[in-house]
Amino acid sequence: MRADRLLSLTLLLRHRGRMTASALARELEVSTRTVLRDVGALSAAGVPIYSERGRDGGFALLPGFTTDLTGLTQDEAVALLTSRSRVTSDALGMGPAFSSAVAKLVAAMPDSARTRATDAADRVLVRRGGLIGEPEPDEHPAAVQRAVLAGRRLRIRYPSRGEPPSWRTVDPLGLVSAAGRWYLLALHDGADRTYRVSRITEAEELAEPAARPAGVDLEELWQRRRAEFLASHTGFRARLRIRPSRRAEVVRVSAGVTDVERQGEWLVVDVGFGDLQHAERVMWSLAVDAEALDPPELREAVRARAQRLADSHARS
């Protein structure tokens, strides 16, 4: 549609500066003649486009020209930017188109608002693969979110392993949503720490700015911490026979999968779990698409759970 092309042309000039007609034609996938007609239409509509001749010439917008073409608020822009990593658009085969649409919308924001939105979005990551375990309710204390997006320190009450919750002050690096759980990545006394947000019993946003190193790559940081966690939580291993279509799911909720062999329509895999209970929960979620081959205690745990369910439904 021409209106969409005119918008795209305006945004290209706004964020790339001077561009030749041929460069604009390549970007917009139209002819040079079409670009010239569009430039004329925009000029007639009051958009301050001017042209310069010569080898380095081309079309450009007058300096200082800005327009908020979208009306997006900062919170709305953050939601769009972080949603690029969600499953939906990729699952529909629309990942590239969705990312392009988001970029156009956010690019149309005023410079100061766009800068704040993109900086805040750099502190939030949404990923499929979690650490281990099942999804849990999307609990997201407002104080945690505010501190992360505002770049301020955070005081949280959090339980250590085997101990009651205690207060600690952390420097937030970002929030990650993975496999239905939210995690706070932060520094505590300068050391890397990962906190499950649903386990934070209380949170207070502090006034002082967080000590967040420049250039934090949340994606890289999450992948590194996830790998370290999985490497240290493989205390229970099991051999399963699963449907190949469920393999990706097993990878997401376990501590590592190694393929062993194909058996007709089945795939035999060795899987790492945190403990027997974790393995049992995963097996239960796979239902008839998986069978525990080894160890015997996992087979018995799944059988006993199924028997309890059958017994409860057999009662009159």
Side-chain angles (χ1 to χ4, degrees), residues 164-194:
S166 61
W167 286 99
R168 64 201 72 188
T169 299
V170 301
D171 294 289
L173 300 178
L175 279 169
V176 176
S177 174
R181 298 184 180 198
W182 280 100
Y183 298 91
L184 169 66
L185 274 58
L187 299 176
H188 180 231
D189 293 335
D192 284 347
R193 293 289 183 267
T194 302

Side-chain angles (χ1 to χ4, degrees), residues 143-144 154-160 163-170 188-189 195 200-206:
V144 175
L154 187 64
R155 188 167 177 260
I156 61 174
R157 196 164 181 264
Y158 193 85
S160 298
E163 298 181 6
S166 61
W167 286 99
R168 64 201 72 188
T169 299
V170 301
H188 180 231
D189 293 335
Y195 304 98
I200 297 175
T201 58
E202 296 180 67
E204 298 177 0
E205 178 188 3
L206 303 180

Side-chain angles (χ1 to χ4, degrees), residues 114 153 202 240 243 260 279-280 296 307:
R114 185 176 65 256
R153 303 192 83 192
E202 296 180 67
L240 314 179
R243 297 283 186 188
V260 177
E280 180 189 347
Q307 187 61 59

Side-chain angles (χ1 to χ4, degrees), residues 6-8 10-12 14-15 61 65-73 77 80-81 100-115 117-118:
L6 293 175
L7 172 60
S8 296
T10 304
L11 295 177
L12 282 169
R14 181 180 175 194
H15 295 287
L61 293 170
F65 172 73
T66 61
T67 180
D68 183 357
L69 300 175
T70 66
L72 285 178
T73 67
L80 277 174
L81 285 166
S100 175
V102 171
K104 287 180 181 179
L105 285 169
V106 178
M109 297 177 67
D111 291 339
S112 59
R114 185 176 65 256
T115 298
T118 53

